[in-house]
Amino acid sequence: ALWLFWWMGGYFDEGRRWLEEILAQNEGAPAPRGKALEGLSWLSHLQGDLDRAEAVAEEGLELSAEAGVETSTVASLRSTLGDVARSRGEHERAKELFEESVRLYREIGDRWGVAWSLGSLANVAGDRGDHEQAKRLYEEGLALSRRLGDARLLGAYLDSLGYEFLLEGNLEKAAELHEEAAALFRKQGRRGDLLYVLVNLGWAALLQGNYERAEASYEECLVLCRELGDRLTASESLEGLACSAGSRGEASRASVLFGAAETLREATGYQLAPRDRSLREPYLAAARAQVDEAAWSAAREKGRSMDFEDAVVYALEKPHG
């Protein structure tokens, strides 16, 4: 039952350690074991450990064939598998898994589960370039989360809808929604959720040319990522800092940060969606144009050779030129 606390409080390492230990020691009855597997799959995914998240979720679904595993647990496990598929760029499979999750939640009248899964479906729609469908689903989920009075859901929808406005170029509206989400998560102490908002606040500021504000958001995010062991979100902040460095004329620093981000992302198997790549590519191209190919490659390899801790230290402590 504690996995939701570990998730929302950002205690990913602690939660995984306890759940791995208890699952290894005791087979347990299907229902509680299914809940433990559910929690472990979510926490693993939140840290970017896609292989472990997938293996655990599949084990939980195999267990669900036995009597006693709740439908809500099955729906949640399918949702985790959907997130894993989405992270790997398998958008059609992700869509199918999220639709099945919505169906199961509706079947048992779980409005929170429905609201969460609508957001997941919206994410996939956005990844596939169907931004009108994404916004429609986000608006539906946002309205439902307001009726439920759930700050966690409300913050997630504000952040996601803000990202759609960011992609449309409505940066002021995007920043407004992200700021509201950040305030909610700070008030609730939900550090794990705050990470994503900080990345998006960084993009909103960067696209407006406010490099100092963008860097402050990315750096705050990196500090949290180090505390929570979240390498995947750290890679996004490193790329944001790389884009900002390139815009400031610091091409070598940009190359190192891009290289470090690539290594972290590759280690998780995560695939950037086209809409996410489109934000980074102009900054990447501009930074590369500032130096010759040999200098760029050497700096990039320096970044690629860094481990997680080294990359964070470099990003946070290296002064601007």
Side-chain angles (χ1 to χ4, degrees), residues 7 12 42-48 83 86 116 152 155-156 159-160 163 166 178 181-182 185 190-203 217-218 221 224-225 228 230 232-234 236-237 270:
W7 168 28
F12 302 153
W42 276 100
L43 294 173
S44 299
H45 179 264
L46 286 165
Q47 288 194 313
D83 279 325
R86 178 182 173 234
W116 181 262
R152 166 67 185 85
D159 183 42
S160 296
Y163 191 64
L166 185 147
H178 294 320
F185 289 145
R190 293 178 176 174
R191 301 182 301 160
D193 296 313
L194 182 61
L195 291 175
Y196 313 117
V197 185
L198 290 170
V199 170
N200 289 337
L201 278 170
W203 278 115
S217 291
Y218 292 133
C221 182
L224 275 176
C225 285
L228 306 184
D230 187 337
L232 185 54
T233 309
E236 296 194 36
S237 285
Y270 181 81

Side-chain angles (χ1 to χ4, degrees), residues 3 8 17 30 36 48 71-72 135 147 189 214 218 225 230 245 266:
W3 78 263
M8 293 181 181
R17 186 172 66 250
T71 300
S72 62
K135 286 178 72 174
R147 290 198 298 273
Y218 292 133
C225 285
D230 187 337
E266 287 169 4

